[in-house]
Amino acid sequence: MKSFLSLPLAAALSLAACNAGSAPTEAATPAIEAHVQAVDPATARAADRTAEIPTLQVKTLDGADYALAAHRGKWVVVNFWATWCAPCLKEMPDLSALDKDNDHIEVIGLAYEEIEADELKAFLAERPVVYPIAILDVYNPPADFATPRGLPLTYLISPDGKVAKQFLGPVTGKEIEAAITAAGGPKAKA
């Protein structure tokens, strides 16, 4: 009789585990953000931490070298994203407009997925952006940034190279402009 009762229990637990990952993102986001904020930087593993002044050197999709340090003096938006990520795709036009309309802000998109360059170029031909895009090796992500636990993941880097803010989940240009203003940068255009 015990085995008869444990089979439905095992099935129910398996079903619950499958559904746990399919909960709405809005419901999961506060818990994730709370966890990220609760991590003690002194005890976190290197892959779970972002350096105070991160370095980033990547080759962009158009073959150019991109070094974060070369963009000091500007606010830089470092956006981890993927082609399969619906919230990532939703924020891309807004990030592109933010880059285009503000001389003091630059955006770099880091495609965090296994994808071939030609496939990503075809994808971007249908969803163009004005900012550079680089493909990251998911098995060897940039050492100075925490390994993304969810996408999109966006960092706002201040003109002095320090991380001013981290956004887990989709972000708008207005939210980035507000974060810049809050950090002492110029106010957003009306």
Side-chain angles (χ1 to χ4, degrees), residues 46-127:
D48 295 332
R49 286 187 298 213
T50 297
E52 182 182 0
I53 301 176
T55 60
L56 175 68
Q57 294 186 347
V58 293
K59 178 93 50 193
T60 62
L61 205 52
D62 63 2
D65 291 320
Y66 182 93
L68 186 58
H71 298 270
R72 293 266 163 54
K74 295 201 175 210
W75 292 89
V76 180
V77 177
V78 179
N79 178 248
F80 288 79
W81 70 286
T83 58
W84 47 261
C85 168
C88 300
L89 304 183
K90 184 177 180 184
E91 72 182 2
M92 287 174 72
D94 204 31
L95 293 177
S96 190
L98 180 73
D99 184 279
K100 181 181 174 197
D101 297 340
N102 295 279
D103 292 334
H104 65 286
I105 302 172
E106 295 181 356
V107 178
I108 173 103
L110 303 177
Y112 191 70
E113 65 182 302
E114 292 184 35
I115 189 169
E116 295 296 323
D118 290 342
E119 186 180 349
L120 186 55
K121 286 178 184 178
F123 176 87
L124 291 170
E126 295 179 16
R127 291 180 176 86

